[in-house]
Amino acid sequence: MADLLIQVREVDGVAVMRPEGFINAHTVRMFEDALEKLVAEGRFTILLDCQGLNYISSAGLGAIMGLIETVRDNGGDILLCNLHENVFAIFDTLGFTQLYRVFPTEAEAILAVAGKA
Amino acid sequence: MRAAADPESFRLVIPSQTRYLNLVTGLAKRASLVAGMDDATAAKVSIAVDEAVTNVIIHAYRGESTHQVEIELRFREEALEIRIWNTGGGLHDEDVVLPDPKEYVKHPRKGGLGLLLMSRFMDEIHFKDTDGRSECCMIKRTPA
């Protein structure tokens, strides 16, 4: 199995990105490229569905951090859902759960973006 | 002459390439479980090891792939001790300045978080030079 696979689809105007595997210094370029491609296409509301994400290191956090101001300046946001306990611990330990909106499921995140929740 | 093998530890030497990170972190996670830690704690140890080895590859060796990173996992009675050595230069305890997460969140930027994760996820971290090599020693205490 590859270290990282990334799928992207559109749901109600939200770009849902599903990284599967590991985001670390080896795979971060692929993750960063996928995020930058969305931003370049003007897709500024991005939901990271972390169901298949086994771990993310500081390299991956840096990739998200590097784009957060750009997407927010353009009226969008980066949201997170389906975080495994160990991935949540990384975000929470660094205080990033204050910076990013975290949802239990993709459906709840999509509803929140649409202003229905 | 090589020292007698320590029955409570083993060593792994990898090329200074990020492609091996996954292998090393998987090993660290398994070792943590063998030492008696739960899944969540083992995951934190593996992240700390990822960050430490990444620092060596990216910073000490400047991304050059032809060097070696040596990792030792030692099962002590009360802790798992992980030592990581490189010959590219490294930090010393007095050099380590951890970012304040609250300030970081207010002023987002790339980088600077690896040491913070290591310090939060491990019980002790020490940096020093030993025998002409730079050493990072991380300790995670095991449940009583």
Side-chain angles (χ1 to χ4, degrees):
Chain A
M1 183 183 157
D3 287 338
L4 180 64
L5 294 170
I6 296 176
Q7 293 180 330
V8 180
R9 60 196 173 88
E10 186 92 10
V11 181
D12 294 345
V14 177
V16 179
M17 178 183 287
R18 281 189 175 173
E20 287 188 22
F22 306 84
I23 300 175
N24 58 18
H26 185 57
T27 59
V28 70
R29 192 62 241 170
M30 181 195 294
F31 178 58
E32 203 162 27
D33 285 349
L35 281 174
E36 287 174 352
K37 183 169 182 283
L38 290 177
V39 171
E41 291 168 351
R43 298 158 83 182
F44 298 118
T45 302
I46 300 167
L47 173 61
L48 289 177
D49 183 344
C50 299
Q51 178 69 40
L53 189 63
N54 292 310
Y55 83 76
I56 182 167
S57 73
S58 66
L61 299 175
I64 300 171
M65 203 55 109
L67 285 172
I68 189 65
E69 288 185 322
T70 301
V71 297
R72 286 181 176 168
D73 287 349
N74 284 278
D77 205 356
I78 295 176
L79 307 99
L80 305 158
C81 71
N82 283 326
L83 273 66
H84 290 299
E85 181 186 2
N86 59 325
V87 174
F88 181 84
I90 293 164
F91 278 93
D92 199 41
T93 295
L94 297 175
F96 284 11
T97 45
Q98 311 295 315
L99 188 62
Y100 300 101
R101 286 191 287 168
V102 180
F103 298 90
T105 65
E106 177 186 314
E108 287 168 88
I110 299 292
L111 279 173
V113 171
K116 297 173 187 168
Chain B
M1 191 167 101
R2 293 179 69 88
D6 180 343
E8 305 303 330
S9 73
F10 59 91
R11 290 190 181 197
L12 173 72
V13 181
I14 62 165
S16 54
Q17 298 172 23
T18 56
R19 63 189 293 201
Y20 297 109
L21 278 172
N22 205 352
L23 187 154
V24 178
T25 56
L27 182 68
K29 185 169 185 180
R30 294 301 308 173
S32 302
L33 294 172
V34 168
M37 296 174 206
D38 59 25
D39 279 342
T41 307
K44 289 176 180 175
V45 172
S46 74
I47 281 289
V49 169
D50 179 301
E51 299 293 352
V53 175
T54 296
N55 279 346
V56 169
I57 295 171
I58 303 297
H59 298 297
Y61 290 137
R62 300 170 301 281
E64 296 167 359
S65 62
T66 54
H67 304 282
Q68 290 187 327
V69 186
E70 186 170 351
I71 301 128
E72 179 186 79
L73 296 111
R74 180 181 297 271
F75 294 90
R76 289 174 20 195
E77 193 170 329
E78 76 291 3
L80 177 66
E81 190 175 285
I82 301 169
R83 292 176 191 271
I84 297 164
W85 291 279
N86 77 86
T87 57
L91 290 167
H92 299 92
D93 283 345
E94 59 272 24
D95 301 329
V96 175
V97 180
L98 299 176
D100 177 348
K102 287 180 183 167
E103 286 302 310
Y104 194 96
V105 167
K106 283 183 202 164
H107 307 286
R109 66 185 192 281
K110 290 173 82 171
L113 295 173
L115 281 172
L116 188 57
L117 278 178
M118 289 162 62
S119 70
R120 292 290 175 88
F121 285 171
M122 301 299 283
D123 292 313
E124 292 179 39
I125 303 179
H126 305 287
F127 296 92
K128 66 176 182 179
D129 289 335
T130 177
D131 299 330
R133 300 188 300 171
S134 296
E135 176 187 300
C136 169
C137 175
M138 302 192 290
I139 295 170
K140 188 70 176 178
R141 285 186 281 280
T142 46

